[in-house]
Amino acid sequence: MLQSLIDFVRDHYRTNDFIPLHAPVFGGNEKAYVSDTIDSTFVSSVGAFVDRFEQDMASYTGSPRAVATVNGTAALHVALRLVGVGPGDYVITQPLTFVATCNAIAYCGAMPIFVDVDRHTLGLSPKALASWLDAHAYRDDSGTCRRRKDDRAIRACLPMHTFGHPADLDGLVSVCRDWGLALVEDAAESLGSTYHRRHTGTFGALGTLSFNGNKVITTGGGGMILADQAMGERAKHLTTTAKLPHPYEYVHDELGYNYRMPNLNAALGCAQLEQLEAYLAEKRQLASEYAACLAGGELEFVTEPEGCRSNYWLNAVICPDRERRDQLLKSTNEQGVMTRPIWQLMNRLPMYASAPAGELTNALWLEARVVNLPSSICVHGKGAI
Ligand SMILES: *Cc1c(COP(=O)(O)O)cnc(C)c1O
């Protein structure tokens, strides 16, 4: 079984060399656009590619506004600031995520509260969210959601669309509405994924994307905030040092950040975005081939939730138990086929060990079993690596 999986991967990428988990591909206008920025000298914080990348991304995702940032973590940090997260607050998130989700909460001086994920979406569970809130929270006279134990405000809820599979957004939107929580989506992994035909990252007050080197498309490093017009204006202001427009004076009206994306990176992003739909078609084809290869075996291939289109950023399997997981990791990596376990739960990390947490049954179960498989695009049918 394991050998047939390894053979399938080698056959797909047509190489006997090392096969990484996710490598970028540059087969379009990348060089031309990046050269443009160098020829024009506009490589830094001013330039036409930043505006174009923002507009193209807004129209691709159907978001009224898109604001480019230096990376996805910075986008998250500013998004949380914009919904009012500050020192002493709580933000509810899932323990099964990449550390950046929690770090952005901590950068605001806030603390995460960990609530369980759904077994089939790998994302924050609306049911677990509602039951944690019922047991541990109340709304005060002004409607602010507070934790009973210390009366601190719970400002926001930050679900993450794991490996590109959309979380149960209808459920999350409804619980957040009932409890007066701002919904911010960490859509770093889910560019191109839709829930009931609407793009992930556009369901809450704000959504964020990442264009790190291992994501579906890359700008080298980069991120994006998806917002409505008013929030988008605020996001642009905060990420560009909160400078007021003036012909020559330097006027900054609040504490801002230098979080804007350089034009050099945006040029790469424009070229990558032109190819996104073709990438997605390939990624979805690979996913269906993985599913066929694994059908009837002991590894359960993770598929998109009902009513969703997933980008299948990282393909994943659920092993029967931890021993089988270890076997899979060992034999694939020994044979030069890169696989990785899902992240350790965030509440195991020293900085988040004291954060409040609900029952984490599904997160613990998945942590012991999920493994990611190679998921890169092939260039023109040849190994993209
Ligand atoms: C990649 C990623 C981010 C953002 O990462 P950056 O490297 O800062 O762009 C945030 N959250 C999740 C879940 C991610 O996978």
Side-chain angles (χ1 to χ4, degrees):
M1 190 67 217
L2 282 187
Q3 199 52 52
S4 68
L5 174 61
I6 292 169
D7 292 344
F8 165 77
V9 175
R10 288 230 164 270
D11 193 48
H12 178 79
Y13 290 105
R14 295 187 208 168
T15 176
N16 290 318
D17 297 339
F18 173 76
I19 298 172
L21 207 57
H22 206 287
V25 171
F26 303 114
N29 289 318
E30 287 87 350
K31 278 188 183 167
Y33 293 174
V34 170
S35 286
D36 271 5
T37 70
I38 294 169
D39 293 342
S40 71
T41 75
F42 286 101
V43 293
S44 191
S45 48
V46 176
F49 282 112
V50 175
D51 295 339
R52 176 174 156 193
F53 191 40
E54 290 179 340
Q55 279 155 20
D56 289 355
M57 196 57 82
S59 78
Y60 179 79
T61 58
S63 176
R65 232 3 242 280
V67 175
T69 59
V70 278
N71 58 53
T73 312
L76 271 175
H77 179 195
V78 166
L80 292 174
R81 283 265 332 246
L82 285 176
V83 296
V85 177
D89 291 344
Y90 287 114
V91 175
I92 299 180
T93 192
Q94 57 201 65
L96 199 72
T97 187
F98 177 59
V99 69
T101 315
C102 296
N103 287 349
I105 296 170
Y107 296 161
C108 295
M111 190 184 262
I113 292 173
F114 296 114
V115 164
D116 207 5
V117 294
D118 278 327
R119 158 87 172 67
H120 64 291
T121 66
L122 316 179
L124 191 66
S125 163
K127 229 170 127 187
L129 176 64
S131 75
W132 189 90
L133 288 163
D134 281 335
H136 299 283
Y138 67 96
R139 291 188 77 177
D140 69 14
D141 294 342
S142 69
T144 302
C145 180
R146 293 186 181 278
R147 185 179 176 213
R148 281 194 202 144
K149 196 169 173 184
D150 52 20
D151 300 310
R152 289 188 182 190
I154 306 172
R155 294 274 175 222
C157 173
L158 180 56
M160 196 278 282
H161 303 297
T162 308
F163 307 144
H165 299 299
D168 179 351
L169 282 161
D170 280 349
L172 293 169
V173 165
S174 142
V175 178
C176 287
R177 197 170 288 151
D178 289 348
W179 285 87
L181 296 173
L183 177 63
V184 177
E185 296 172 71
D186 183 348
E189 305 183 353
S190 65
L191 177 62
S193 300
T194 61
Y195 177 92
H196 297 168
R197 307 200 168 193
R198 193 163 134 198
H199 200 281
T200 50
T202 65
F203 287 77
L206 293 153
T208 63
L209 304 172
S210 166
F211 313 112
N212 191 35
N214 63 346
K215 294 299 197 309
V216 178
I217 64 168
T218 186
T219 57
M224 192 75 81
I225 299 170
L226 304 178
D228 65 17
Q229 287 299 346
M231 282 285 206
E233 285 302 314
R234 291 277 303 134
K236 195 69 186 173
H237 190 61
L238 274 190
T239 54
T240 53
T241 66
K243 185 180 181 299
L244 295 179
H246 191 281
Y248 45 84
E249 295 280 6
Y250 296 104
V251 190
H252 306 265
D253 65 347
E254 62 182 310
L255 177 62
Y257 304 90
N258 179 14
Y259 277 178
R260 72 187 118 201
M261 175 184 283
N263 202 41
L264 197 62
N265 301 77
L268 202 55
C270 287
Q272 288 264 285
L273 186 52
E274 291 170 348
Q275 301 162 87
L276 177 59
E277 279 303 311
Y279 290 173
L280 294 180
E282 253 209 57
K283 292 180 80 66
R284 293 178 58 78
Q285 174 65 26
L286 172 59
S288 77
E289 288 175 23
Y290 267 129
C293 166
L294 295 164
E298 63 172 28
L299 302 178
E300 179 194 335
F301 185 70
V302 178
T303 54
E304 64 197 357
E306 224 182 287
C308 298
R309 179 183 84 148
S310 174
N311 65 5
Y312 284 94
W313 169 54
L314 283 188
N315 291 292
V317 289
I318 301 176
C319 302
D321 52 39
R322 189 179 276 274
E323 289 66 42
R324 244 75 64 93
R325 179 201 88 138
D326 293 343
Q327 257 172 33
L328 171 61
L329 288 166
K330 189 162 183 292
S331 56
T332 46
N333 284 291
E334 272 175 4
Q335 295 191 52
V337 171
M338 182 169 168
T339 59
R340 285 292 179 267
I342 199 165
W343 315 278
Q344 285 191 16
L345 299 191
M346 290 299 113
N347 52 308
R348 292 188 197 285
L349 305 181
M351 3 16 136
Y352 304 118
S354 63
E359 290 274 333
L360 303 178
T361 318
N362 290 332
L364 285 160
W365 191 87
L366 290 163
E367 182 196 33
R369 290 170 178 79
V370 174
V371 172
N372 288 124
L373 305 175
S375 303
S376 312
I377 312 288
C378 291
V379 214
H380 313 307
K382 289 218 314 274
I385 35 200

